[in-house]
Amino acid sequence: MNLLIIGSVAFDSIKTPFESVEGTLGGSATFCSLAASFFTQPGIVAVVGEDFTSGHKKVLTNKNIDLEGLEQAPGKSFAWGGEYSFDLNSRTTLFTNLNVFENFQPKVPENYKKSEYVFLGNIHPLLQKDVLSQTTHTKFVGLDTMNYWIEKALPELKEVLRFVNILIINDSEAREFTHEHNLLKASKKILGIMDLMRQPILIIKRGENGLSMFQGSHIFSLPAYPLEDVADPTGAGDSFAGGFMGYITQTENTNWENLKLACVYGSIMASFSVEKLGTERLQEITQDEITRRFQDFKNLTHFEMNHPAAELLGINCN
Ligand code: AMP
């Protein structure tokens, strides 16, 4: 097990204008670990209820995800319901039933305690901090959160952020967090809360409009992978985080250029995730498909200026 992931393992009820599904396997740790499994071996720390069957388990073990840290407790699994509007970008949460998460006290298995790469997926910030405090050798810690926790546990969220290298959130969360509409200003405020000694990084996701990554005075922006058919955006953010952290864990390199590549792999995994309802598409991707999308991304974002044009404009293109 190389990448420790904490988050929710959930049953999701999703309504889009075109399709709907009830009680499908979801949750931040589920999407994240499935996406990361293409790059490294993830291990999950989470809790499920008695309604979590061996079939659900198999979805994760089929991808070699370590489940030693997945506790089964009396009661029902975390359940979440969301409904998307016609543009599939904005969503309303219909319900959040914490169920077994309400009394969850995470126990990091002995084997996971020395993990160097840790992703604190979307869950209560106190649980995120609790897991982190049980680890001893972290090199690179990522964190995701949600408006739900920004509204319900802001002081706890700010506290855990001090121990994190990278925060991955979406644009509306960044705005709500900082009360700043402008994302550049928001990014400065958020990086200011994080520990400067860690050279903190912030990624702000903008759904189908791509993302921006900030570290010190560096900014990098990437479009989303262009897709004709989007079935269900649920879990796109967690799949991004899984691809990103999986790639960083595999390459063990957190320099700025490699962080950009991690953004590309994160975006590729998010693009697959949204093509079918729930985790369906993540379960069937092949390495060849990932490689093809990487090449597409390269072509999509590459540009060069030829010498005559540069001379005309007085630009040094070397
Ligand atoms: P995303 O679309 O990336 O924001 O992630 C959606 C996933 O997050 C769904 O599978 C939900 O089960 C899970 N989720 C929704 N709300 C919460 C919450 N408050 N805490 C933890 N996980 C959540």
Side-chain angles (χ1 to χ4, degrees):
M1 199 285 296
N2 301 315
L3 170 63
L4 165 57
I5 296 172
I6 181 185
S8 53
V9 174
F11 289 124
D12 288 347
S13 296
I14 302 157
K15 276 190 198 162
T16 78
F18 317 102
E19 284 179 280
S20 62
V21 65
E22 285 202 5
T24 186
L25 180 62
S28 52
T30 307
F31 281 103
C32 185
S33 58
L34 283 172
S37 71
F38 291 87
F39 304 91
T40 190
Q41 192 193 18
I44 294 180
V45 171
V47 63
V48 288
E50 290 151 324
D51 46 5
F52 193 81
T53 64
S54 54
H56 297 121
K57 222 178 208 179
K58 213 152 177 256
V59 170
L60 302 168
T61 51
N62 276 347
K63 291 275 172 250
N64 198 25
I65 296 165
D66 191 303
L67 298 184
E68 200 189 332
L70 184 68
E71 189 184 315
Q72 192 148 23
K76 283 185 174 177
S77 299
F78 179 96
W80 173 82
E83 181 167 8
Y84 291 87
S85 61
F86 259 98
D87 66 4
L88 287 182
N89 254 344
S90 47
R91 131 180 124 190
T92 311
T93 291
L94 300 175
F95 60 88
T96 302
N97 298 334
L98 293 178
N99 297 333
V100 285
F101 262 105
E102 208 129 23
N103 298 312
F104 180 46
Q105 290 179 330
K107 277 182 276 322
V108 176
E110 254 343 283
N111 279 340
Y112 292 14
K113 285 190 174 162
K114 287 192 176 161
S115 303
E116 294 177 332
Y117 297 89
V118 176
F119 189 68
L120 306 170
N122 178 27
I123 198 65
H124 198 301
L126 281 179
L127 295 181
Q128 293 176 319
K129 185 156 178 238
D130 189 351
V131 164
L132 203 51
S133 68
Q134 295 178 50
T135 60
T136 50
H137 285 63
T138 56
K139 272 191 186 159
F140 192 74
V141 180
L143 185 142
D144 180 21
T145 193
M146 208 179 191
N147 42 11
Y148 187 85
W149 304 115
I150 294 171
E151 286 152 25
K152 290 200 165 30
L154 190 59
E156 294 90 337
L157 178 60
K158 285 185 174 168
E159 167 64 16
V160 67
L161 267 184
R162 292 175 38 232
F163 304 96
V164 160
N165 300 85
I166 179 160
L167 170 65
I168 304 177
I169 53 174
N170 69 33
D171 49 355
S172 68
E173 291 155 359
R175 291 187 171 111
E176 185 169 354
F177 192 177
T178 57
H179 298 280
E180 274 296 349
H181 180 75
N182 182 285
L183 292 178
L184 269 181
K185 287 185 182 162
S187 71
K188 286 188 181 145
K189 276 197 180 172
I190 294 172
L191 288 174
I193 297 170
M194 297 172 76
D195 178 5
L196 270 186
M197 299 292 284
R198 290 173 193 268
Q199 299 180 302
I201 307 153
L202 168 68
I203 292 181
I204 300 183
K205 298 163 290 172
R206 285 178 282 112
E208 63 178 0
N209 298 314
L211 62 84
S212 295
M213 175 167 69
F214 306 86
Q215 184 181 37
S217 58
H218 295 297
I219 305 180
F220 171 68
S221 287
L222 194 70
Y225 185 86
L227 286 176
E228 269 187 40
D229 297 311
V230 174
D232 170 20
T234 308
D238 307 310
S239 305
F240 171 85
F244 183 98
M245 288 297 297
Y247 175 76
I248 291 292
T249 307
Q250 182 193 43
T251 55
E252 297 192 76
N253 177 349
T254 55
N255 74 27
W256 182 245
E257 290 308 314
N258 206 49
L259 289 169
K260 290 181 187 174
L261 287 174
C263 284
V264 174
Y265 279 110
S267 303
I268 289 171
M269 300 318 286
S271 74
F272 284 119
S273 173
V274 302
E275 285 181 325
K276 290 193 176 171
L277 277 174
T279 60
E280 223 178 299
R281 184 70 173 105
L282 286 182
Q283 293 179 46
E284 60 183 31
I285 311 168
T286 63
Q287 288 292 349
D288 273 357
E289 287 182 299
I290 296 176
T291 308
R292 249 177 278 137
R293 285 206 179 173
F294 184 86
Q295 196 53 49
D296 290 345
F297 242 120
K298 238 179 138 196
N299 296 336
L300 178 72
T301 51
H302 181 85
F303 62 88
E304 263 177 44
M305 183 171 261
N306 60 29
H307 281 274
E311 239 169 70
L312 204 64
L313 295 166
I315 293 170
N316 180 357
C317 62
N318 292 318

